[in-house]
């Protein structure tokens, strides 16, 4: 999601919700939020809106008010959980998020110098057990994520395109995981990376604060 609340925020702001309602109020639009967050969190934040939702990079998706699960239950390897818990204990103000298809080490509140050291140490510690279990290690926006590889924001794009055609596609994102989304979209789609430049997106918005004004202009025509 290009305007996701920060981890410490309880819910999206009223401004975000109003912008999404405005976009969804046009029956010609299909609005979908694709996120790495778990489906319970997305339902709590956005479940009251008339929009599509995809959680854990498409492992769960919500269509027609119903949540669907793309994957059977998986059990996390104890070595990997143990390594992550050790880094939580050794790194003040970090935390571990356990989801059904991903494990996420959050370090947004950690001292920047310490975080830079711990991130590299954590990735090095995880390489062997994650390779053995065929898991991906991804460094995102103040997170290190371990996930099953079959679900990405690109796989969610493929699902959305499979049974419906679109005459206009606009996709926005600010995270490394959004690169899969940009790559999966057909040529001619309006792909926008927020913040850092992307070789896979056609356009760029420099600041996240530009996102809502931009979408409101799009909605109002």
């Amino acid at each position: 999601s290009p305007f996701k609340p920060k981890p410490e925020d309880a819910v999206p702001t009223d401004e975000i919700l109003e912008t999404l309602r405005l976009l969804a109020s046009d029956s010609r639009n299909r609005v979908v939020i694709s996120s790495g967050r778990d489906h319970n969190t997305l339902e709590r934040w956005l479940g009251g809106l008339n929009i599509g939702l995809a959680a854990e990079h498409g492992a769960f998706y919500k269509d027609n008010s119903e949540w669907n699960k793309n994957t059977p239950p998986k059990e996390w390897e104890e070595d990997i959980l143990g390594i992550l818990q050790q880094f939580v204990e050794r790194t003040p103000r970090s935390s571990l998020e356990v989801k059904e298809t991903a494990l996420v080490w959050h370090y947004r509140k950690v001292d920047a110098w310490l975080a830079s050291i711990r991130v590299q140490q954590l990735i090095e510690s995880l390489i062997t057990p994650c390779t053995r279990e065929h898991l991906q290690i991804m460094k995102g926006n103040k997170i290190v994520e371990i996930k099953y590889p079959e679900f990405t924001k690109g796989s969610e794009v493929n699902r959305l395109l499979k049974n419906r055609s679109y005459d206009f596609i606009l996709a926005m994102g600010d995270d490394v995981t959004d690169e899969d989304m940009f790559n999966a979209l057909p040529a001619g789609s309006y792909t926008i990376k927020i913040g850092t430049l992307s070789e896979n997106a056609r356009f760029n918005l420099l600041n996240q604060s530009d996102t809502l004004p931009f979408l409101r202009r799009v909605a109002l025509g």
Side-chain angles (χ1 to χ4, degrees):
S1 166
F3 34 72
K4 56 183 177 288
K6 293 181 175 59
E8 59 269 23
D9 294 340
V11 294
T13 65
D14 290 341
E15 189 178 15
I16 290 174
L17 296 175
E18 277 304 310
T19 300
L20 291 173
R21 288 192 188 97
L22 179 62
L23 286 166
S25 66
D26 189 329
S27 61
R28 297 170 297 178
N29 294 339
R30 185 182 189 188
V31 180
V32 178
I33 299 295
S34 183
S35 174
R37 292 280 185 171
D38 67 273
H39 71 286
N40 292 318
T41 297
L42 290 187
E43 180 64 27
R44 186 172 69 252
W45 285 348
L46 304 167
L49 301 178
N50 184 29
I51 62 175
L53 299 172
E56 298 189 34
H57 308 294
F60 299 81
Y61 64 92
K62 185 180 182 182
D63 274 337
N64 300 319
S65 301
E66 295 291 333
W67 279 101
N68 301 274
K69 187 175 181 179
N70 272 331
T71 178
K74 301 177 185 292
E75 292 187 6
W76 293 107
E77 210 269 346
E78 288 297 327
D79 285 352
I80 295 172
L81 285 170
I83 290 169
L84 288 163
Q85 191 57 50
Q86 286 178 13
F87 274 80
V88 170
E89 293 169 359
R90 294 170 55 198
T91 314
R93 306 182 75 185
S94 69
S95 62
L96 175 62
E97 180 184 5
V98 179
K99 299 186 285 188
E100 291 197 41
T101 61
L103 299 168
V104 187
W105 184 66
H106 292 272
Y107 61 90
R108 181 176 297 276
K109 297 180 180 180
V110 176
D111 173 80
W113 175 82
L114 180 59
S116 66
I117 295 173
R118 289 288 190 261
V119 166
Q120 190 58 39
Q121 290 175 336
L122 177 58
I123 292 173
E124 290 175 357
S125 299
L126 288 169
I127 287 174
T128 297
C130 286
T131 299
R132 183 177 65 240
E133 297 294 319
H134 307 290
L135 298 169
Q136 288 181 333
I137 305 171
M138 300 184 65
K139 182 180 175 184
N141 183 14
K142 305 296 185 182
I143 65 167
V144 174
E145 183 170 14
I146 299 92
K147 63 185 289 290
Y148 289 94
E150 58 261 46
F151 298 107
T152 69
K153 290 182 181 178
S155 68
E156 174 60 13
V157 164
N158 292 333
R159 186 191 69 80
L160 292 168
L161 295 175
K162 185 176 181 180
N163 297 315
R164 189 181 298 193
S165 60
Y166 302 86
D167 57 6
F168 175 85
I169 298 174
L170 171 66
M172 307 177 72
D174 67 350
D175 195 69
V176 64
T177 58
D178 295 304
E179 301 299 327
D180 293 320
M181 173 178 67
F182 298 145
N183 280 326
L185 287 165
S189 301
Y190 289 83
T191 51
I192 304 173
K193 183 66 180 291
I194 301 166
T196 57
L197 292 172
S198 165
E199 293 183 359
N200 301 310
R202 294 173 60 193
F203 304 101
N204 175 248
L205 278 178
L206 290 178
N207 302 303
Q208 197 173 69
S209 59
D210 296 327
T211 304
L212 292 178
F214 172 81
L215 288 174
R216 283 194 294 271
R217 289 196 296 270
V218 170
L220 295 171

